[in-house]
PDB file of all heavy atoms in Angstrom:
ATOM      1  N   GLU N  82       7.457  -7.711   5.258  1.00  0.00           N
ATOM      2  CA  GLU N  82       7.581  -6.649   4.243  1.00  0.00           C
ATOM      3  C   GLU N  82       7.969  -7.321   2.929  1.00  0.00           C
ATOM      4  O   GLU N  82       8.211  -8.541   2.900  1.00  0.00           O
ATOM      5  CB  GLU N  82       8.637  -5.621   4.661  1.00  0.00           C
ATOM      6  CG  GLU N  82      10.019  -6.206   4.924  1.00  0.00           C
ATOM      7  CD  GLU N  82      11.035  -5.876   3.855  1.00  0.00           C
ATOM      8  OE1 GLU N  82      11.177  -4.698   3.525  1.00  0.00           O
ATOM      9  OE2 GLU N  82      11.682  -6.807   3.342  1.00  0.00           O
ATOM     10  N   THR N  84      10.435  -6.163   0.416  1.00  0.00           N
ATOM     11  CA  THR N  84      11.736  -5.940  -0.236  1.00  0.00           C
ATOM     12  C   THR N  84      12.633  -7.181  -0.174  1.00  0.00           C
ATOM     13  O   THR N  84      13.258  -7.557  -1.169  1.00  0.00           O
ATOM     14  CB  THR N  84      12.455  -4.734   0.403  1.00  0.00           C
ATOM     15  OG1 THR N  84      11.525  -3.642   0.427  1.00  0.00           O
ATOM     16  CG2 THR N  84      13.687  -4.335  -0.372  1.00  0.00           C
ATOM     17  N   ARG N 113       3.081  -8.448  10.815  1.00  0.00           N
ATOM     18  CA  ARG N 113       4.001  -8.005  11.876  1.00  0.00           C
ATOM     19  C   ARG N 113       3.288  -8.108  13.212  1.00  0.00           C
ATOM     20  O   ARG N 113       2.161  -7.617  13.352  1.00  0.00           O
ATOM     21  CB  ARG N 113       4.452  -6.547  11.658  1.00  0.00           C
ATOM     22  CG  ARG N 113       5.285  -6.375  10.414  1.00  0.00           C
ATOM     23  CD  ARG N 113       5.863  -4.968  10.305  1.00  0.00           C
ATOM     24  NE  ARG N 113       6.352  -4.756   8.940  1.00  0.00           N
ATOM     25  CZ  ARG N 113       6.813  -3.617   8.471  1.00  0.00           C
ATOM     26  NH1 ARG N 113       6.873  -2.557   9.265  1.00  0.00           N
ATOM     27  NH2 ARG N 113       7.229  -3.515   7.224  1.00  0.00           N
ATOM     28  N   GLU N 115       2.799  -6.535  15.908  1.00  0.00           N
ATOM     29  CA  GLU N 115       2.896  -5.241  16.588  1.00  0.00           C
ATOM     30  C   GLU N 115       1.660  -5.079  17.453  1.00  0.00           C
ATOM     31  O   GLU N 115       0.675  -5.800  17.303  1.00  0.00           O
ATOM     32  CB  GLU N 115       2.910  -4.115  15.556  1.00  0.00           C
ATOM     33  CG  GLU N 115       4.142  -4.101  14.689  1.00  0.00           C
ATOM     34  CD  GLU N 115       4.215  -2.828  13.863  1.00  0.00           C
ATOM     35  OE1 GLU N 115       4.696  -1.819  14.382  1.00  0.00           O
ATOM     36  OE2 GLU N 115       3.779  -2.860  12.699  1.00  0.00           O
ATOM     37  N   TYR N 122      -2.006  -2.888  12.072  1.00  0.00           N
ATOM     38  CA  TYR N 122      -2.558  -4.241  12.140  1.00  0.00           C
ATOM     39  C   TYR N 122      -1.437  -5.266  12.184  1.00  0.00           C
ATOM     40  O   TYR N 122      -0.283  -4.937  11.928  1.00  0.00           O
ATOM     41  CB  TYR N 122      -3.409  -4.517  10.885  1.00  0.00           C
ATOM     42  CG  TYR N 122      -4.520  -3.532  10.678  1.00  0.00           C
ATOM     43  CD1 TYR N 122      -4.357  -2.450   9.834  1.00  0.00           C
ATOM     44  CD2 TYR N 122      -5.737  -3.698  11.344  1.00  0.00           C
ATOM     45  CE1 TYR N 122      -5.371  -1.528   9.648  1.00  0.00           C
ATOM     46  CE2 TYR N 122      -6.765  -2.794  11.159  1.00  0.00           C
ATOM     47  CZ  TYR N 122      -6.576  -1.700  10.309  1.00  0.00           C
ATOM     48  OH  TYR N 122      -7.577  -0.795  10.128  1.00  0.00           O
ATOM     49  N   GLN N 127       0.485  -4.028   1.560  1.00  0.00           N
ATOM     50  CA  GLN N 127       1.373  -3.039   0.935  1.00  0.00           C
ATOM     51  C   GLN N 127       1.352  -3.223  -0.578  1.00  0.00           C
ATOM     52  O   GLN N 127       1.171  -4.328  -1.078  1.00  0.00           O
ATOM     53  CB  GLN N 127       2.835  -3.274   1.363  1.00  0.00           C
ATOM     54  CG  GLN N 127       3.197  -2.848   2.762  1.00  0.00           C
ATOM     55  CD  GLN N 127       4.700  -3.030   3.031  1.00  0.00           C
ATOM     56  OE1 GLN N 127       5.406  -3.700   2.275  1.00  0.00           O
ATOM     57  NE2 GLN N 127       5.169  -2.443   4.113  1.00  0.00           N
ATOM     58  N   GLU N 131      10.163  -1.596  -6.593  1.00  0.00           N
ATOM     59  CA  GLU N 131      11.615  -1.692  -6.416  1.00  0.00           C
ATOM     60  C   GLU N 131      12.285  -1.532  -7.781  1.00  0.00           C
ATOM     61  O   GLU N 131      11.820  -2.108  -8.771  1.00  0.00           O
ATOM     62  CB  GLU N 131      12.013  -3.063  -5.832  1.00  0.00           C
ATOM     63  CG  GLU N 131      11.140  -3.587  -4.688  1.00  0.00           C
ATOM     64  CD  GLU N 131      11.388  -2.910  -3.332  1.00  0.00           C
ATOM     65  OE1 GLU N 131      12.348  -2.129  -3.207  1.00  0.00           O
ATOM     66  OE2 GLU N 131      10.591  -3.159  -2.405  1.00  0.00           O
ATOM     67  N   ARG N 257      14.769   5.291   9.318  1.00  0.00           N
ATOM     68  CA  ARG N 257      14.032   4.079   8.940  1.00  0.00           C
ATOM     69  C   ARG N 257      14.380   2.909   9.863  1.00  0.00           C
ATOM     70  O   ARG N 257      15.477   2.828  10.406  1.00  0.00           O
ATOM     71  CB  ARG N 257      14.296   3.685   7.477  1.00  0.00           C
ATOM     72  CG  ARG N 257      14.122   4.817   6.502  1.00  0.00           C
ATOM     73  CD  ARG N 257      12.707   4.998   6.045  1.00  0.00           C
ATOM     74  NE  ARG N 257      12.191   3.794   5.433  1.00  0.00           N
ATOM     75  CZ  ARG N 257      11.131   3.148   5.898  1.00  0.00           C
ATOM     76  NH1 ARG N 257      10.491   3.551   6.961  1.00  0.00           N
ATOM     77  NH2 ARG N 257      10.699   2.072   5.287  1.00  0.00           N
ATOM     78  N   TYR N 262      19.099   0.019   4.418  1.00  0.00           N
ATOM     79  CA  TYR N 262      19.155   1.279   3.667  1.00  0.00           C
ATOM     80  C   TYR N 262      20.543   1.912   3.575  1.00  0.00           C
ATOM     81  O   TYR N 262      21.374   1.776   4.479  1.00  0.00           O
ATOM     82  CB  TYR N 262      18.186   2.293   4.272  1.00  0.00           C
ATOM     83  CG  TYR N 262      16.739   1.911   4.063  1.00  0.00           C
ATOM     84  CD1 TYR N 262      15.946   1.514   5.131  1.00  0.00           C
ATOM     85  CD2 TYR N 262      16.178   1.924   2.801  1.00  0.00           C
ATOM     86  CE1 TYR N 262      14.623   1.147   4.942  1.00  0.00           C
ATOM     87  CE2 TYR N 262      14.848   1.558   2.600  1.00  0.00           C
ATOM     88  CZ  TYR N 262      14.078   1.178   3.672  1.00  0.00           C
ATOM     89  OH  TYR N 262      12.780   0.814   3.464  1.00  0.00           O
ATOM     90  N   ILE N 278       2.680   6.924   5.886  1.00  0.00           N
ATOM     91  CA  ILE N 278       1.787   6.156   5.023  1.00  0.00           C
ATOM     92  C   ILE N 278       2.516   5.505   3.842  1.00  0.00           C
ATOM     93  O   ILE N 278       2.096   4.477   3.338  1.00  0.00           O
ATOM     94  CB  ILE N 278       0.606   7.034   4.538  1.00  0.00           C
ATOM     95  CG1 ILE N 278       1.101   8.385   4.000  1.00  0.00           C
ATOM     96  CG2 ILE N 278      -0.369   7.263   5.679  1.00  0.00           C
ATOM     97  CD1 ILE N 278      -0.029   9.326   3.558  1.00  0.00           C
TER      98      ILE N 278
HETATM   99  P1  HAM C   1       8.019   0.116   6.262  1.00  0.00           P
HETATM  100  O1  HAM C   1       8.242   1.531   6.642  1.00  0.00           O
HETATM  101  O2  HAM C   1       8.321  -0.912   7.279  1.00  0.00           O
HETATM  102  O3  HAM C   1       8.893  -0.130   4.965  1.00  0.00           O
HETATM  103  O4  HAM C   1       6.539  -0.069   5.789  1.00  0.00           O
HETATM  104  C1  HAM C   1       5.998   0.696   4.726  1.00  0.00           C
HETATM  105  C2  HAM C   1       4.575   1.132   5.024  1.00  0.00           C
HETATM  106  O5  HAM C   1       3.772  -0.005   5.381  1.00  0.00           O
HETATM  107  C3  HAM C   1       4.451   2.035   6.236  1.00  0.00           C
HETATM  108  O6  HAM C   1       4.737   3.377   5.897  1.00  0.00           O
HETATM  109  C4  HAM C   1       2.984   1.861   6.591  1.00  0.00           C
HETATM  110  O7  HAM C   1       2.174   2.661   5.769  1.00  0.00           O
HETATM  111  C5  HAM C   1       2.750   0.400   6.267  1.00  0.00           C
HETATM  112  N1  HAM C   1       2.795  -0.406   7.499  1.00  0.00           N
HETATM  113  C6  HAM C   1       3.892  -0.864   8.137  1.00  0.00           C
HETATM  114  N2  HAM C   1       3.535  -1.563   9.241  1.00  0.00           N
HETATM  115  C7  HAM C   1       2.178  -1.552   9.298  1.00  0.00           C
HETATM  116  C8  HAM C   1       1.195  -2.109  10.195  1.00  0.00           C
HETATM  117  N3  HAM C   1       1.543  -2.852  11.239  1.00  0.00           N
HETATM  118  N4  HAM C   1      -0.114  -1.882   9.927  1.00  0.00           N
HETATM  119  C9  HAM C   1      -0.485  -1.144   8.850  1.00  0.00           C
HETATM  120  N5  HAM C   1       0.395  -0.606   7.975  1.00  0.00           N
HETATM  121  C10 HAM C   1       1.701  -0.798   8.185  1.00  0.00           C
HETATM  122  C11 HAM C   1       8.962  -1.323   4.297  1.00  0.00           C
HETATM  123  O8  HAM C   1       8.210  -2.239   4.512  1.00  0.00           O
HETATM  124  C12 HAM C   1       9.976  -1.345   3.201  1.00  0.00           C
HETATM  125  N6  HAM C   1       9.978  -2.684   2.613  1.00  0.00           N
HETATM  126  C13 HAM C   1       9.693  -0.280   2.159  1.00  0.00           C
HETATM  127  C14 HAM C   1      10.664  -0.311   1.044  1.00  0.00           C
HETATM  128  C15 HAM C   1      10.499  -0.866  -0.182  1.00  0.00           C
HETATM  129  N7  HAM C   1      11.910   0.149   1.090  1.00  0.00           N
HETATM  130  C16 HAM C   1      12.512  -0.108  -0.057  1.00  0.00           C
HETATM  131  N8  HAM C   1      11.663  -0.735  -0.845  1.00  0.00           N
END
Side-chain angles (χ1 to χ4, degrees):
E82 57 107 51
T84 309
R113 294 187 195 174
E115 293 190 84
Y122 303 96
Q127 285 184 346
E131 317 284 352
R257 310 274 302 120
Y262 291 111
I278 48 182

